[in-house]
Amino acid sequence: MNENAIEGRNAVLEAFRAGKTVDKLYVQEGLKDGPILSIVREAKKQGSHILYSDKESLNRMSEDGKHQGVIAMVASYSYAELGDILASAREKGEDPFLILLDGIEDPYNLGAIIRTANQVGAHGVIINKNRAVGLTASVARTSAGALNYTPVAKVTNMARTIEELKKEGFWFVAADMDGEEMYSLNLKGPLGLVIGNEGKGVSELVRKKCDFTARIPMLGQIDSLNASVAAGVLAYEVLRQRRS
């Protein structure tokens, strides 16, 4: 059972009404009675990702099989608003630096990246609402406290978010093994560093929205790095350039 899971109709409904942030709501297929419809309505109001699953799948997720057709995955920390992150950078008189994660699914990668973001002075981390890990307890532990200082915003459409941030003067660089060597790029100014999914990398749509791609030079026999390691290497190059 996931440590951030709440199951059972009353418990899930009360979680919504108490204002808890529900990243994902799993609902048993075919259930449309009053309590289920009330829960789904609350989920839509909050913007939670709703997934319909068969009973056997929910049984496997459940601790004791008493889920009553609904399981909610609750965030351990609250999400920030993107506008507030930008406002904080302006108040500090700094060029905003954001790390955008396009489909990171491993909680340990997300936690490690948030920790790195804090160390390099990034103003915030942006994650996908769907098909990505949220702010679970595992993420919080791996971040080693960084979640208390580095805000994380959740967006529905990463490509559209990039378009909107470009209007604010941002440039975007995506991590890509076929990109330009990172040392040859100018990574100063308002910048968004985009890190892709552990297996697929940055999606084609998001990559096309970026202004350039960055490659980490590697001399070994394998041709890729763990997502959190790649994020750390690139983020520290951004920090080096911003301090020079």
Side-chain angles (χ1 to χ4, degrees):
M1 180 67 173
N2 187 291
E3 58 197 316
N4 285 73
I6 295 176
E7 56 181 302
R9 298 181 181 192
N10 288 337
V12 170
L13 189 55
E14 286 305 315
F16 278 112
R17 290 175 174 171
K20 292 185 179 294
T21 301
V22 176
D23 282 325
K24 297 177 182 179
L25 176 70
Y26 293 88
V27 181
Q28 185 176 322
E29 294 172 338
L31 293 182
K32 295 182 180 180
D33 54 72
I36 291 292
L37 293 177
S38 294
I39 291 169
V40 170
R41 185 165 55 248
E42 291 294 330
K44 289 179 178 178
K45 193 184 302 180
Q46 189 185 104
S48 304
H49 187 203
I50 303 171
L51 303 110
Y52 291 91
S53 303
D54 56 54
K55 185 176 181 179
E56 289 71 25
S57 296
L58 292 180
N59 287 342
R60 288 193 294 271
M61 294 171 59
S62 174
E63 186 171 323
D64 55 13
K66 298 179 180 179
H67 50 76
Q68 298 176 306
V70 285
I71 297 177
M73 298 299 178
V74 180
S76 292
Y77 280 72
S78 298
Y79 293 97
E81 295 294 331
L82 182 52
D84 292 338
I85 295 175
L86 299 182
S88 176
R90 287 194 292 267
E91 289 172 4
K92 295 176 182 177
E94 299 172 351
D95 286 328
F97 172 29
L98 301 176
I99 299 178
L100 295 85
L101 306 181
D102 185 28
I104 293 293
E105 297 175 331
D106 187 323
Y108 299 101
N109 274 334
L110 177 55
I113 291 170
I114 293 170
R115 187 176 184 176
T116 296
N118 178 262
Q119 292 296 321
V120 300
H123 297 97
V125 174
I126 314 298
I127 65 174
N128 296 94
K129 173 184 172 184
N130 302 328
R131 296 182 296 281
V133 66
L135 298 182
T136 66
S138 295
V139 171
R141 283 196 299 271
T142 308
S143 79
L147 262 176
N148 293 305
Y149 306 100
T150 301
V152 177
K154 184 170 60 171
V155 299
T156 302
N157 189 309
M158 192 67 72
R160 187 178 303 132
T161 298
I162 289 174
E163 288 181 344
E164 292 171 354
L165 287 170
K166 282 186 174 183
K167 297 175 184 176
E168 300 283 338
F170 273 80
W171 290 81
F172 288 89
V173 55
D176 192 298
M177 289 188 296
D178 296 321
E180 301 175 64
E181 186 170 304
M182 65 181 190
Y183 300 121
S184 68
L185 297 172
N186 182 349
L187 301 176
K188 297 180 180 180
L191 184 75
L193 171 61
V194 183
I195 305 296
N197 173 273
E198 290 88 351
K200 302 174 184 176
V202 178
S203 66
E204 183 177 358
L205 179 59
V206 170
R207 187 169 60 249
K208 286 180 178 179
K209 297 293 182 182
C210 294
D211 299 288
F212 42 91
T213 55
R215 170 175 53 85
I216 299 171
M218 289 180 280
L219 303 179
Q221 284 70 43
I222 58 174
D223 62 357
S224 64
L225 292 172
N226 172 279
S228 62
V229 174
V233 173
L234 287 163
Y236 269 97
E237 175 59 14
V238 174
L239 174 61
R240 185 190 70 80
Q241 292 193 23
R242 287 165 73 95
R243 297 186 66 182
S244 65

